[in-house]
Amino acid sequence: MSNSFNVPRFFIFIPLLLPAILTAGNYNFNEHCQTAYHHLFSLRPDAGKQLLITEKKTNPENLIPLLLENFHEFLNIHLTENESQLSAFKSNKNNRVNTCKKGAQNSPWFRFLQAEMHLQYAFAAFQFREYWSGMMDLRRAYILLAENINLYPEFKPAQKSFFTIKALLGVVPEKYHFGLRLVGMSGSLNEGMNGLQNLSRTDWGKEKFLKDEAIHVYVSLLLHLQGDKNKARENFENAGYPIDGNLYSYYTGVKIALYSHHNEEAINYLKNIPEGIDYLKIPVLDYYRGITLLNQLKPEGIQHFQKFIKSNQSGHLIKSAYQKIAWSFLLEGNHESYAQQMQLLKSNGKAETDDDRQAQKEAENNVPPQPDLLKARLLFDGGYFKNALNVLENLSPEVLKNPEYSLEQVYRQARIYDAMKEMEKAVQRYEWTIERGKNAPYYYAANAALQLALYYESKGNLDEARKYFKQCLELDNHEYKNSLGQKAKAGLERVGKG
């Protein structure tokens, strides 16, 4: 009798079947998926999700709908700031990634889908200060994207995400660089921003429908990371934005216009913004509507700030909104209502953003802004430069006896002359602000140093730029130290540390 084991004939074919089982799933960004992506990126979630349901029924092996479902979930959490959805998002993301791991590996989409899902979750986690969880997913995305670019160097979507990570890691404080290297990551602001700039200007071939996302990322980093408001606005407009029917492009346009002193442009965008039951509700747009009216010194902005407070789910910008309501009352001479709003500020919202920290500091100091200086500040923010300058030039001698007010007057004059391209006057006043304000607990000196650094950088005088970027970093005894420090560090990355 033979001792050999008789293997059933069925099992002989298992090795032949395994590759098919393990690679179940394909990557077909077909017309259904492209249209769904367009709807989701336009912030019309129901229309996008309906197409994805149809696609999953028609082509159950197609893995692209998983990417788009993750994209939708990320946008919803990011823009509505609904922190309660973060845990479910993490679980859903993990399930999607695990499914995508079964897809065909000989495609640039294999690693990209997993990386993009990890990256989207990482950004959502960072938004709600879940730093450890976010950093782990950022690392996963980084490694997958690096592998993907090595294997498929012409695949533009992976480059978009990789260069975004590179730019963001490029402004991480030096004391954390060793830790980044230990986990296999490195950053470079120049490499990241140059890569995104090239991607925004080159042909994406078959993936051209995804190029809009790269452009939005690029202009957002120009605005918030580099602080180059004019370049952000220029690139946004040159790309043909905002796009009719695309709420996300209008949302981005409003932010850029407000932060680059184009209040009337922001008002126009808000008037023409796509609205209706089909579109995602973005609470912060009411905050921006309030800002546009406040910049015109109109009290009607109060109702928009109040609406924002009621609809906000994260607590971010709540303190700032109460402060803006208080300012509106102060400009009307209603000091009692100003005090009431500042009291509400203390017990509501979170002091996590620079704007909220600044509002909290004002409430704790219990010293309201000088009304005329506040008017000048708001008019400047809105781009009404001559009106702002007129207010500053007509401040009473009694007001200017206060050292803080006299410092702020000169600082705000510098900012206005800078915006009006009268740089000799601007530089003189920036230098005066630094000298007189370097030991004061206000942000004026630090921002004056940053603006001088940016000016000298634009002129190619890198030694002076480097000097003032470093000075901005040294002047850190103020409420805007995070955002100003980040921009100064980004500047040093561009000009070299010397």
Side-chain angles (χ1 to χ4, degrees):
M1 184 176 178
S2 172
N3 291 323
S4 62
F5 180 66
N6 292 317
V7 179
R9 291 179 61 83
F10 170 78
F11 290 101
I12 294 173
F13 296 100
I14 284 182
L16 301 176
L17 292 171
L18 275 175
I21 294 171
L22 292 175
T23 60
N26 56 67
Y27 316 99
N28 187 2
F29 224 129
N30 55 32
E31 187 176 345
H32 258 148
C33 292
Q34 289 186 35
T35 305
Y37 173 78
H38 171 74
H39 287 319
L40 294 174
F41 195 59
S42 299
L43 304 184
R44 297 179 65 233
D46 290 342
K49 286 190 292 183
Q50 191 58 50
L51 283 171
L52 292 180
I53 291 170
T54 302
E55 176 63 20
K56 289 171 78 171
K57 288 180 179 178
T58 307
N59 299 303
E61 297 300 306
N62 190 3
L63 297 174
I64 296 299
L66 297 179
L67 171 67
L68 299 184
E69 286 174 348
N70 210 76
F71 183 55
H72 157 66
E73 214 167 340
F74 162 67
L75 285 178
N76 184 66
I77 290 175
H78 172 60
L79 294 172
T80 65
E81 295 212 72
N82 191 338
E83 188 174 358
S84 66
Q85 296 178 359
L86 187 63
S87 178
F89 180 33
K90 182 178 182 179
S91 177
N92 293 338
K93 180 269 301 180
N94 288 337
N95 291 335
R96 292 176 189 129
V97 168
N98 288 334
T99 302
C100 287
K101 287 178 180 178
K102 301 173 185 177
Q105 298 184 24
N106 60 342
S107 167
W109 293 98
F110 173 71
R111 291 171 182 79
F112 173 70
L113 259 62
Q114 299 173 56
E116 196 73 349
M117 293 179 194
H118 286 311
L119 184 59
Q120 288 164 358
Y121 172 75
F123 287 157
F126 291 145
Q127 186 172 352
F128 300 110
R129 304 176 78 82
E130 294 286 342
Y131 294 129
W132 177 253
S133 180
M135 185 56 71
M136 289 300 97
D137 264 39
L138 187 71
R139 179 179 180 272
R140 295 182 183 106
Y142 182 97
I143 292 171
L144 286 164
L145 291 166
E147 292 174 353
N148 211 47
I149 289 172
N150 184 54
L151 292 168
Y152 308 99
E154 300 303 317
F155 188 64
K156 300 294 193 298
Q159 294 179 34
K160 177 269 299 181
S161 298
F162 188 69
F163 286 132
T164 299
I165 297 175
K166 277 285 186 181
L168 293 171
L169 293 180
V171 294
V172 169
E174 284 189 26
K175 62 182 178 180
Y176 299 119
H177 284 192
F178 178 70
L180 288 178
R181 289 194 294 271
L182 281 179
V183 296
M185 293 194 293
S186 65
S188 169
L189 181 69
N190 288 337
E191 181 184 351
M193 294 303 291
N194 289 338
L196 288 169
Q197 182 182 56
N198 290 335
L199 286 174
S200 71
R201 297 175 179 177
T202 57
D203 180 16
W204 278 47
K206 292 183 295 183
E207 289 82 35
K208 62 183 179 182
F209 55 90
L210 294 171
K211 184 177 177 179
D212 281 343
E213 194 177 335
I215 296 171
H216 276 74
V217 169
Y218 178 53
V219 298
S220 293
L221 293 183
L222 280 172
L223 182 68
H224 297 297
L225 198 62
Q226 288 196 326
D228 198 333
K229 304 166 185 176
N230 294 327
K231 192 173 181 180
R233 183 168 173 267
E234 178 185 331
N235 277 270
F236 183 78
E237 292 180 346
N238 288 344
Y241 300 123
I243 302 169
D244 286 345
N246 188 312
L247 174 56
Y248 195 82
S249 67
Y250 272 87
Y251 163 75
T252 303
V254 169
K255 286 195 300 179
I256 291 173
L258 280 177
Y259 285 109
S260 62
H261 312 293
H262 289 86
N263 202 61
E264 296 297 323
E265 191 172 273
I267 291 170
N268 186 55
Y269 286 155
L270 287 165
K271 282 180 180 177
N272 293 287
I273 204 164
E275 290 183 301
I277 59 173
D278 291 345
Y279 288 95
L280 186 70
K281 303 301 178 188
I282 307 177
V284 78
L285 287 175
D286 283 308
Y287 177 86
Y288 292 148
R289 288 186 178 96
I291 292 292
T292 61
L293 290 162
L294 185 59
N295 286 344
Q296 294 179 317
L297 311 184
K298 294 180 178 179
E300 291 86 348
I302 289 174
Q303 61 184 321
H304 295 292
F305 290 124
Q306 290 173 335
K307 186 177 179 182
F308 167 72
I309 290 169
K310 289 178 182 177
S311 61
N312 183 288
Q313 300 182 72
S314 71
H316 296 151
L317 293 179
I318 291 291
K319 291 183 181 296
S320 179
Y322 276 114
Q323 180 195 45
K324 303 305 183 289
I325 294 172
W327 284 357
S328 298
F329 284 123
L330 185 65
L331 294 176
E332 296 290 301
N334 189 339
H335 292 266
E336 183 179 350
S337 293
Y338 166 85
Q340 289 172 350
Q341 294 300 316
M342 295 305 282
Q343 201 61 38
L344 287 170
L345 183 163
K346 291 180 182 179
S347 55
N348 289 279
K350 302 174 181 177
E352 293 178 352
T353 69
D354 281 345
D355 286 337
D356 286 323
R357 278 191 286 269
Q358 194 275 329
Q360 181 74 19
K361 183 177 179 179
E362 182 180 324
E364 290 172 352
N365 289 346
N366 201 29
V367 179
Q370 203 286 326
D372 289 323
L373 285 169
L374 178 58
K375 287 179 183 177
R377 172 182 178 175
L378 295 170
L379 290 168
F380 167 76
D381 287 345
Y384 309 110
F385 302 135
K386 290 184 179 179
N387 292 343
L389 198 58
N390 184 58
V391 171
L392 292 173
E393 289 173 348
N394 286 283
L395 287 173
S396 70
E398 191 65 29
V399 168
L400 294 176
K401 286 181 181 178
N402 184 312
E404 180 188 348
Y405 296 161
S406 63
L407 175 66
E408 184 177 352
Q409 182 207 34
V410 176
Y411 164 75
R412 301 215 175 277
Q413 285 176 333
R415 299 286 283 126
I416 294 167
Y417 283 126
D418 190 345
M420 295 171 68
K421 307 301 181 186
E422 296 186 35
M423 292 311 300
E424 186 176 342
K425 293 179 181 178
V427 169
Q428 181 185 29
R429 286 163 175 78
Y430 280 141
E431 290 174 343
W432 189 95
T433 300
I434 294 170
E435 182 59 32
R436 300 294 180 91
K438 60 187 177 184
N439 296 317
Y442 317 119
Y443 68 93
Y444 309 134
N447 199 35
L450 177 64
Q451 299 307 318
L452 278 176
L454 293 171
Y455 167 67
Y456 285 119
E457 182 186 2
S458 72
K459 292 296 181 182
N461 189 340
L462 302 189
D463 288 338
E464 285 296 288
R466 192 176 298 115
K467 168 184 143 184
Y468 284 109
F469 280 133
K470 288 180 178 179
Q471 191 164 32
C472 176
L473 286 169
E474 292 165 1
L475 297 168
D476 62 355
N477 60 332
H478 55 87
E479 60 273 28
Y480 288 115
K481 64 180 180 180
N482 287 341
S483 60
L484 295 183
Q486 186 181 67
K487 289 169 186 173
K489 188 175 187 308
L492 280 176
E493 173 79 16
R494 293 192 303 273
V495 304
K497 298 175 184 178

